[in-house]
Amino acid sequence: TKRILRALEVYLETGETISAHNAATRQLPPRYDAVWIGLQFADRADMKALIDRRVDKMAEEGLLEEVQALLAMGLPRNATAMQAIGYKEFLGVLDGTLTEQEALELVKLRSRQYAKRQLTWLRRDPSIHWFYWKKTRILPDCLAFSTEILHTYGVS
């Protein structure tokens, strides 16, 4: 349904089919001469641990209550925003289909899966300069790396 609606929006706005519009858009030169710098953990286990801690913190700070408040304000359960990782799982808690612990574990799993998909997508781009975080994330090292890359490309 979403794709059909998007295709209709593009057609009504441009007079072109979505495939013709996308093909023409790909032919356009980039608007900006960008330099891409990516941050990645050297050890994936460190990334997973950070995601798990972040999800635990979200729960401690009231993720379930946030979902309840959104519903109380009238946001429909099927709204796109309610399909986001975290909200969707905690709707299950409210429905009684999941316990809070099961929802937490699902949020952690889906967040890790999403991070992996992002990295897989971004690694295909050879123009990205990757900085790899070690066990401790030392910002001055990242800043020095980024500054060196930017100077190489004439950005000062």
Side-chain angles (χ1 to χ4, degrees), residues 41 54 83 85 102:
F41 284 89
R54 182 178 145 264
Q83 302 309 305
I85 297 172
E102 289 169 334

Side-chain angles (χ1 to χ4, degrees), residues 51-52 55 85 103-115:
I51 289 170
D52 288 353
V55 171
I85 297 172
L104 268 177
E105 293 307 315
L106 265 177
V107 174
K108 290 176 183 179
L109 173 66
R110 290 179 177 157
S111 296
R112 292 189 304 260
Q113 290 170 336
Y114 186 64

Side-chain angles (χ1 to χ4, degrees), residues 35 129 144-156:
V35 177
H129 304 274
F145 173 83
S146 301
T147 302
E148 181 181 327
I149 296 297
L150 292 172
H151 282 297
T152 300
Y153 285 89
V155 179
S156 46

